[in-house]
Amino acid sequence: MNKHLEQLVLLSKIDQEIDSFEPKIDSIAKNLKDTENKISQINTQISDLELEIEDVKNQKIQNNLHISEFSAKIKELGKKSGSVKTEKEANALKIEEDIAKEQLDSANDEIIRLDKILENKELFKKELLEKKAKEEQDIETIKANIKTRMEALEKERMDVYAKKTKLVEDINFKVLSFYEKIRKWAKNTAVVAVKKQACYGCFMKIYDKTYLSVIKGEEIVTCPHCGRILYKEQEDKS
């Protein structure tokens, strides 16, 4: 294989390796992001729950005021019952007192209902706070793990960059410029193998004359269809 072509094949593989670090970094950080999102969701739930708890407490305050009002009214009606003069007045007073007692019972029942709701919401809040504490504890472990893995990944990346720097120093400037020009649009497929007489960049069959030149490997050959740099790779005969 032509020396320049051999260098470009190697350079292309190194560039592919360099570009592969970004998804690796994203993958390492994903667990942290997922945990942070969980904590954020829990915080939103807690915030919403606290508003609901406050609303229930306000309802209890209103109901307790009504209970005080109804109790006072019943007491007042009791005092009036001793001074009624006619049966009509007594009946009217009795009806009013019965209504006030029904309202008092209803208000007391509502307090019991609100207490139960409040108890359940407070219990749910406690569970959320415990869950949040666990996630926050986990996140510290995740961060420590990420730091270790990122340091190892960074060292690996620096080694690959050093390998590329050394290689680039030996590549002819015009050849390197030609490669970089193709790489601008082809990204990590600037240099591709030819298999079964097809370009593995655009997957189009290449002409016999071009294919022969690729097989010889004496010069840099580009795909007549897409313009990528081609090289012959051993085909699997199995």
Side-chain angles (χ1 to χ4, degrees):
M1 185 186 290
N2 175 283
K3 177 188 174 183
H4 296 314
L5 179 58
E6 191 174 347
Q7 288 173 327
L8 292 184
V9 171
L10 180 57
L11 179 60
S12 175
K13 289 178 179 179
I14 290 173
D15 279 334
Q16 289 174 28
E17 193 175 352
I18 289 171
D19 288 348
S20 72
F21 282 104
E22 200 61 42
K24 285 178 184 177
I25 291 169
D26 290 341
S27 176
I28 290 172
K30 186 179 183 301
N31 199 7
L32 176 62
K33 289 177 183 176
D34 289 345
T35 306
E36 287 175 338
N37 287 336
K38 284 181 185 177
I39 292 173
S40 178
Q41 289 171 4
I42 291 171
N43 282 333
T44 300
Q45 285 181 289
I46 291 171
S47 180
D48 290 343
L49 199 57
E50 284 175 342
L51 290 174
E52 292 172 11
I53 288 171
E54 191 62 30
D55 181 57
V56 174
K57 286 180 178 179
N58 287 332
Q59 290 182 56
K60 278 190 66 179
I61 291 170
Q62 291 299 317
N63 268 276
N64 281 323
L65 288 174
H66 292 324
I67 287 171
S68 297
E69 290 171 3
F70 298 143
S71 296
K73 188 172 184 180
I74 291 169
K75 189 176 181 180
E76 183 184 343
L77 290 171
K79 289 179 181 179
K80 286 183 179 179
S81 63
S83 59
V84 293
K85 296 178 180 178
T86 65
E87 185 179 349
K88 185 178 180 180
E89 287 178 345
N91 289 336
L93 201 63
K94 179 71 169 54
I95 291 170
E96 194 174 353
E97 187 178 6
D98 288 342
I99 292 172
K101 285 179 179 179
E102 285 179 8
Q103 289 175 324
L104 179 61
D105 289 341
S106 178
N108 280 319
D109 289 342
E110 181 64 6
I111 287 293
I112 293 169
R113 188 184 75 86
L114 291 172
D115 279 338
K116 190 63 179 175
I117 291 172
L118 197 58
E119 182 185 348
N120 289 334
K121 289 187 181 295
E122 290 286 7
L123 183 62
F124 184 38
K125 180 183 174 181
K126 183 183 176 183
E127 290 172 357
L128 287 175
L129 288 171
E130 288 173 353
K131 187 178 179 182
K132 178 184 174 182
K134 184 182 179 303
E135 293 293 349
E136 287 175 338
Q137 188 176 7
D138 289 347
I139 210 169
E140 293 306 315
T141 305
I142 292 168
K143 283 179 179 178
N145 180 260
I146 284 174
K147 184 181 178 184
T148 302
R149 293 175 66 187
M150 288 293 285
E151 285 172 354
L153 196 63
E154 188 60 26
K155 183 182 181 303
E156 187 183 340
R157 181 161 62 173
M158 288 301 101
D159 290 343
V160 176
Y161 270 117
K163 189 164 60 173
K164 177 178 178 178
T165 301
K166 186 178 179 180
L167 177 62
V168 167
E169 288 173 353
D170 293 334
I171 298 177
N172 179 278
F173 178 74
K174 287 185 178 179
V175 173
L176 182 61
S177 297
F178 180 61
Y179 165 79
E180 292 294 350
K181 185 178 179 181
I182 297 173
R183 183 170 156 76
K184 278 184 180 178
W185 61 267
K187 309 299 181 188
N188 281 325
T189 62
V191 181
V192 293
V194 173
K195 297 179 183 179
K196 297 179 181 178
Q197 205 171 330
C199 165
Y200 262 50
C202 64
F203 301 98
M204 296 285 287
K205 185 175 180 180
I206 59 175
Y207 312 123
D208 292 342
K209 185 178 178 182
T210 304
Y211 185 52
L212 184 61
S213 297
V214 174
I215 291 173
K216 287 181 178 179
E218 294 175 354
E219 57 186 31
I220 294 174
V221 180
T222 57
C223 174
H225 305 292
C226 67
R228 291 176 172 87
I229 298 168
L230 303 174
Y231 71 96
K232 184 68 174 72
E233 184 174 79
Q234 285 295 112
E235 294 182 7
D236 187 0
K237 294 181 181 179
S238 59

